[in-house]
Amino acid sequence: MDPRYLWIAFVILILLNVCSAFFQPAMQVVIVESVKREQRLAANSLLQGTSSFLIIVGQGLAAVLVTLFSYRLNFLIDAGCYFFSLLLLIRLPKLVVQNRQKTGSLGKRLRRGFGYIFKHGEISRVLWLQMAERAAGAYYILLMYYLLQERKESLAVFGLMDIPLGIGGVLAGIIVGRWAGRLGREAVDKVLGGALVIVGVAILGLFQLKPFSLMVLSSLLLALASFSTVIITVTRMQQLASPDYLARLFSAREMLTMGTYSASCLVVGYTSEQFGSAAVAWMLALWAVGSGITWLTAAKHKKTKVSSAA
């Protein structure tokens, strides 16, 4: 392929991620402004479940189309979906947000957002957990290298691996929406820590187990744990944040989590070529398990401290 086309594709991916960085904080503000506090967990679960279902339909179908036809067809379909989404967004009613502080430049407001995060320990802890989960999420880049380079599988096989990923997201939306709201704060903290541990174990299984059926099972388990973590932590941040700082908080979250994911992908991409997927999988697995244990230990220490104060 002409290197010029690679640069064009690279620029397009950058623009898509820039647009996503604007979209995600805005979407979180809309959820908080339009959904009651006690219904936000269900709303986030529904959103995640729907998105994951579309992964099954869209990316599974895309893998077949790119094999039968050309990658150009997939890009055209993708562009059509974005244009249709734009038409839907234009027709949405205007959301009136009252009593919001809008003083100062964009940079100053963003600095206040980071300052707000650092001053609130619980928000900082949740954000740290999200960054840890995103760092482990770089396994997806490793999976591409493992399947295409080391196992010499077709691009269609890599695309079809998104199906268990999507099913795991759908299950996470259903399970978290149904059960997480009934659990107490301490139980949810245990779920979050345990989910990260499961992510680490599933990553190891994904790259160490040779039968394809066991790889699919590991991918399903990994997605279930990972998406459950996302739903619960996003909901908790929505509940903890002051309305005046909500947009800035989620803008900072987007910067930190996506920055962590990007840095982790760079590390994974380089080390996988140097040492192979098996060694890098161990690295990601130990990171996820260690992060989960650290979260559980911190939550237990916090509980002990509160009990002693009482």
Side-chain angles (χ1 to χ4, degrees), residues 101-122:
Q101 299 176 5
K102 298 183 179 180
T103 58
S105 64
L106 177 61
K108 187 175 181 180
R109 292 168 62 190
L110 193 58
R111 286 196 299 272
R112 288 177 179 174
F114 278 104
Y116 180 79
I117 292 173
F118 296 139
K119 290 179 181 178
H120 293 75
E122 184 64 18

Side-chain angles (χ1 to χ4, degrees), residues 15-259:
L15 292 175
L16 287 175
N17 281 284
V18 168
C19 293
S20 177
F22 284 97
F23 180 80
Q24 292 297 331
M27 181 178 66
Q28 299 304 326
V29 173
V30 169
I31 291 176
V32 172
E33 292 292 335
S34 58
V35 179
K36 295 180 180 179
R37 182 183 179 88
E38 61 274 12
Q39 296 177 334
R40 289 174 194 166
L41 179 62
N44 289 317
S45 300
L46 178 62
L47 180 64
Q48 183 62 67
T50 304
S51 300
S52 298
F53 176 74
L54 293 177
I55 289 177
I56 303 172
V57 177
Q59 295 186 202
L61 179 62
V64 177
L65 291 177
V66 77
T67 303
L68 296 178
F69 301 99
S70 166
Y71 65 88
R72 288 184 173 87
L73 177 62
N74 282 16
F75 281 132
L76 287 174
I77 295 174
D78 205 26
C81 292
Y82 276 107
F83 181 73
F84 181 68
S85 300
L86 176 62
L87 295 179
L88 293 178
L89 287 172
I90 292 174
R91 295 181 60 86
L92 287 176
K94 182 178 180 181
L95 182 66
V96 179
V97 182
Q98 300 176 349
N99 301 323
R100 297 291 182 269
Q101 299 176 5
K102 298 183 179 180
T103 58
S105 64
L106 177 61
K108 187 175 181 180
R109 292 168 62 190
L110 193 58
R111 286 196 299 272
R112 288 177 179 174
F114 278 104
Y116 180 79
I117 292 173
F118 296 139
K119 290 179 181 178
H120 293 75
E122 184 64 18
I123 293 178
S124 298
R125 287 180 66 246
V126 174
L127 185 56
W128 174 85
L129 185 72
Q130 292 179 336
M131 292 170 64
E133 185 275 330
R134 281 293 73 208
Y139 83 90
Y140 193 76
I141 302 299
L142 184 62
L143 180 63
M144 182 187 301
Y145 177 81
Y146 175 61
L147 289 176
L148 301 182
Q149 296 295 324
E150 295 184 347
R151 289 185 57 136
K152 306 299 181 182
E153 302 284 358
S154 66
L155 186 61
V157 172
F158 173 70
L160 291 174
M161 283 298 293
D162 283 328
I163 293 179
L165 181 69
I167 293 175
V170 172
L171 292 176
I174 295 172
I175 294 172
V176 173
R178 182 179 293 271
W179 297 107
R182 304 179 184 181
L183 301 176
R185 188 65 166 269
E186 296 176 4
V188 172
D189 279 341
K190 292 179 181 179
V191 169
L192 288 173
L196 265 186
V197 173
I198 292 174
V199 166
V201 174
I203 287 175
L204 205 56
L206 188 60
F207 294 96
Q208 298 294 330
L209 301 175
K210 301 303 179 183
F212 195 72
S213 58
L214 295 180
M215 289 182 62
V216 169
L217 182 61
S218 297
S219 180
L220 177 64
L221 185 63
L222 197 161
L224 174 61
S226 180
F227 285 125
S228 296
T229 301
V230 172
I231 296 170
I232 295 173
T233 53
V234 166
T235 303
R236 182 172 290 187
M237 289 186 72
Q238 290 172 348
Q239 294 171 342
L240 290 171
S242 166
D244 289 337
Y245 285 89
L246 187 65
R248 280 172 280 188
L249 172 61
F250 276 96
S251 295
R253 169 191 176 269
E254 195 71 14
M255 292 173 62
L256 293 172
T257 55
M258 291 307 297

